[in-house]
Amino acid sequence: MAKPSMLSLIKTKRDGGEHAREELAWLVSNVKDVPDYQLSAWLMAVVCRGMSLAETTDLTDLMAHSGQIMDLSDVPGPCADKHSTGGVGDKVTLVLAPLVASAGVTVAKLSGRGLGHTGGTVDKVEAIPGFNPEIPIEQFKQQLREIRVALASQTGELAPADGIFYAMRDVSGTVESIPLIAASVLSKKIASGADVILLDVKTGSGAFMKDDASAKDLADTMMEVGRRLGKQVVCVVSEMGQPLGHAVGHSNEVAEAIQTLQGNGPADLTELCVRLGGLILLGAGTVSSAEAGEAKLREAIADGSAIYKFREFVAAQGGDSRVVDHPEIMPQPRLRVPVEALADGFVQRLDALPVGIACKELGGGRLYKGAPLDLAVGVDLRKKIGDRVQKGEALAYLLVNDEAKLAVAVDAVQSAYGIGPVPATSPDLIRAVYAAQAVPAEV
Ligand code: URA
């Protein structure tokens, strides 16, 4: 094989060829020096041409090993990690991580920033004054030993190659690719060193997989890549046709996660967190059925242990835990602008994609690499599928700092809603649960 170069990789993939492991190894070890235009050309070629399972497995493995693999053997008990493939209003991690920890299972969470029109947990936690998601590995492990929950982003130490690919995909229209999503998600889950891996594969307008069949393809790929790399992965395919909960943004999503941990959250968000958590507790072997796990988690919300754990978690990462009682200490918008219903009727459609785009347009997403975010802006949805509305009533409020960005966001949110005369029901929250058995990596 000739010595790889970025140009040869781009041309191979453009022409539908398959990369050898050595070529991908060269790319991952040199990616920090690859010019943006060449990296985005290669990513686009992958989006258009795809990758074989062998290539996807190699890329995942190499990205995971671009930094350290966390050794959690000195952290007692099984450790769990969860990841979503990306959604709108998806603040599940902010609820699930402390919730599961409060029920006695350790959560070692490696998270990402916003991607495309979807939000990212690392950006959201930065709305909490002082919260540091870039903690060193030793602090991460110490925190797991002391309070059973820690959250970190990719750093120079953990899956750094994913950090570079991810930031470029976000701004080059190269997110929607099964091999790139699988490698990105799984490389972080392997680097986190967790024993129990639960992946929330989103399906619908606000997801990168627009229907259940493509969500299953993504789940199948991630389970098979996990199996080949010796990791057992459970995938839950869940609804992202309409946004999760009412809040889409950063500060407002953290506030909604807090309400959920206090037992006052939206029904869909609460239900999803409890169902995913039940599967994690089952995977960790602390309960005999997912239903028993769910009951334990509902109890942790009801008796206050879940919100207590959230306070501990925030404080351990340098954040101001007064945020629980005073969410207004997070960045707040100057204006709350209603988007009004144009007709009487029932909400029959609420598309997550334009809502995510509205949030991004208001300043809640990046239009270029490294762009600063406005953590105060976003969308508060007042009406969801099935709700009755009257003409002129607020469907949603836009949280705005820059009025110049308002018109596009109003149009986007207006277009997200479909109102008709007949009551509609929300689609099922959980579409399917898939699990594969791990085999040793050498097999
Ligand atoms: N989350 C990730 O970490 N990567 C993706 O590509 C999509 C969602």
Side-chain angles (χ1 to χ4, degrees), residues 83-87 110-113 115 118 154 162 166 169 174-175 177 180-186 188-189 208 218:
H83 209 87
S84 156
T85 59
L110 213 51
S111 285
R113 294 195 180 272
L115 191 63
T118 70
Q154 307 98 342
D162 179 55
Y166 195 94
R169 289 169 59 216
T174 54
V175 175
S177 151
L180 293 179
I181 296 174
S184 167
V185 168
L186 281 176
K188 287 190 283 279
K189 300 306 95 177
F208 297 122
L218 175 57

Side-chain angles (χ1 to χ4, degrees), residues 200-204 236-240 272 428-432:
D200 182 7
V201 182
K202 299 293 190 191
T203 174
V236 174
V237 175
S238 76
E239 157 69 6
M240 188 35 73
L272 183 60
D428 290 345
L429 197 54
I430 292 196
R431 302 291 225 285

